[in-house]
Amino acid sequence: MKKAEVYILSGFLGSGKTTLLKRLLEDEQTSGRKTAVMMNELGNVSIDSDAVAGEDVSLKELLGGCICCSIQDKLEAQLQGLLLDEKPDVIYIETTGAAHPVEVIDAILSPLFADKLLIKGILTTVDGTRWMDRKLLSPQLQQLILEQVRHADFIVINKMNELEAKEQAKITFEIQSINPYARCLLTNYSQVPLDQLRKLSVSFEKVEQKSQQIKLNLSTFVYQFKTAISHTEFEDFLKSLPDSIYRIKGYVKFDYSDFPFLFQYSYGMPIYLKEDMNMPLNLVFIGEDISWGEIETQLGNLEL
């Protein structure tokens, strides 16, 4: 089954996300792939959509809130509509500067269609001058910028023409000490060799390949149950999970119930909501440095 590639553009306000997106879309136009863009603005008026809209691009705007908070339901509906109606080869999601990368992936991966997406990676842009002065920001914003860097798969550090060589070296050292696995590129105006971005993948299939050259922290995995399972055994499975599994969501059916439960798991806390209709028994996992092959085996044993 063909999957739509998904690139997530992360980064603080004014760090060069839209400039990077424009470069990516120009490249897609050359390749002839069917492309869709989802843009997320905190306000009610989009300021960037005019810069990327084109006759070959399907554009969806998510206004009035952050992807990972108040508009998650709208995002799910629009993504499902895109996949059904447009059938794009690739989807670019430009987040607000206030979005946390883990929350964004969590919002994107609905169990209704997670198996139709191939998450290629999180591209994070950093304003080099702002990074140097980040201690002037509030503690919450400082932490957000650090999290955006820590979970990135490719980091673009802009405004190098405004910094001296020793400042550039300092930024590189600091960022790579926070995230030693991501490729880190110093540049201006998000000038990135796009062939390097195309090699990214945080998909389960690619992470398990020994030939994969790029080690990625944050990855996802989708498991589809074929049968109902024991609730007790499922709870035992959850208790055995490492702390670095941040989110699980989806539908699980227990052997005592006619219909599945909507299941949500965050920071070790499970929540079950009874459904009154049959749903696809997909379970979506988001974690860091996880051997998904072992998780898959454990889940398979639950069905025996």
Side-chain angles (χ1 to χ4, degrees):
M1 180 181 64
K2 178 190 168 188
K3 297 185 179 184
E5 295 180 1
V6 178
Y7 291 88
I8 299 161
L9 276 63
S10 172
F12 200 65
L13 301 166
S15 59
K17 288 195 304 296
T18 302
T19 302
L20 176 60
L21 177 60
K22 288 171 70 176
R23 293 186 185 282
L24 288 163
L25 292 180
E26 288 168 3
D27 184 62
E28 293 293 358
Q29 197 167 29
T30 303
S31 71
R33 294 202 298 177
K34 193 165 188 180
T35 306
V37 175
M38 303 192 77
M39 304 188 75
N40 181 203
E41 297 287 346
L42 275 175
N44 288 318
V45 179
S46 172
I47 56 172
D48 288 329
S49 59
D50 291 344
V52 299
E55 59 185 36
D56 300 322
V57 178
S58 298
L59 177 65
K60 300 288 185 183
E61 295 178 273
L62 295 157
L63 305 177
C66 183
I67 273 179
C68 47
C69 308
S70 55
I71 58 169
Q72 187 163 345
D73 290 344
K74 186 190 293 186
L75 172 74
E76 182 174 306
Q78 291 200 358
L79 255 177
Q80 190 167 23
L82 268 179
L83 293 169
L84 288 173
D85 301 333
E86 305 291 341
K87 297 181 175 57
D89 299 306
V90 58
I91 302 170
Y92 291 96
I93 299 178
E94 183 183 358
T95 66
T96 70
H100 188 294
V102 176
E103 305 288 350
V104 172
I105 287 190
D106 184 33
I108 292 166
L109 288 178
S110 164
L112 296 175
F113 51 75
D115 55 346
K116 296 180 176 62
L117 300 177
L118 180 67
I119 306 295
K120 292 288 285 181
I122 298 173
L123 316 179
T124 293
T125 54
V126 176
D127 180 331
T129 57
R130 185 185 292 278
W131 179 269
M132 294 293 293
D133 296 332
R134 67 189 184 282
K135 296 293 174 61
L136 301 176
L137 299 172
S138 70
Q140 293 86 352
L141 289 181
Q142 288 184 51
Q143 185 62 32
L144 175 63
I145 292 175
L146 290 176
E147 290 294 301
Q148 289 175 340
V149 165
R150 191 168 80 86
H151 291 294
D153 303 312
F154 198 103
I155 302 169
V156 179
I157 310 173
N158 281 309
K159 300 189 181 178
M160 287 300 100
N161 57 344
E162 298 181 27
L163 298 171
E164 297 177 2
K166 62 180 181 181
E167 292 174 318
Q168 295 179 17
K170 184 174 186 290
I171 290 174
T172 304
F173 176 79
E174 290 175 347
I175 286 181
Q176 295 204 314
S177 66
I178 295 167
N179 185 345
Y181 304 115
R183 176 71 192 273
C184 188
L185 185 70
L186 303 175
T187 187
N188 297 299
Y189 305 106
S190 296
Q191 293 174 333
V192 179
L194 299 182
D195 61 317
Q196 294 183 14
L197 299 183
R198 304 298 182 208
K199 295 174 184 176
L200 289 174
S201 179
V202 294
S203 72
F204 167 62
E205 293 84 0
K206 290 288 184 69
V207 168
E208 292 300 312
Q209 286 182 9
K210 292 182 179 178
S211 62
Q212 179 71 4
Q213 297 296 310
I214 306 169
K215 177 175 170 57
L216 302 173
N217 285 356
L218 200 64
S219 57
T220 64
F221 171 53
V222 182
Y223 186 85
Q224 186 170 56
F225 286 111
K226 299 177 182 63
T227 63
I229 59 173
S230 162
H231 196 155
T232 303
E233 291 180 5
F234 185 66
E235 285 286 334
D236 290 340
F237 161 75
L238 295 176
K239 290 172 185 174
S240 72
L241 293 175
D243 293 339
S244 52
I245 287 187
Y246 301 132
R247 300 280 193 279
I248 310 172
K249 63 180 179 181
Y251 297 95
V252 58
K253 190 174 183 179
F254 298 120
D255 47 22
Y256 59 78
S257 175
D258 293 332
F259 296 109
F261 288 81
L262 171 62
F263 174 70
Q264 304 255 11
Y265 174 95
S266 180
Y267 300 105
M269 295 293 292
I271 299 173
Y272 301 90
L273 297 172
K274 188 70 164 52
E275 292 287 337
D276 56 4
M277 59 186 296
N278 283 315
M279 304 294 287
L281 300 178
N282 291 331
L283 214 53
V284 182
F285 293 75
I286 302 171
E288 193 169 17
D289 294 329
I290 302 294
S291 172
W292 294 122
E294 293 179 13
I295 299 296
E296 184 178 33
T297 299
Q298 292 177 46
L299 291 166
N301 290 337
L302 295 178
E303 296 188 275
L304 298 177

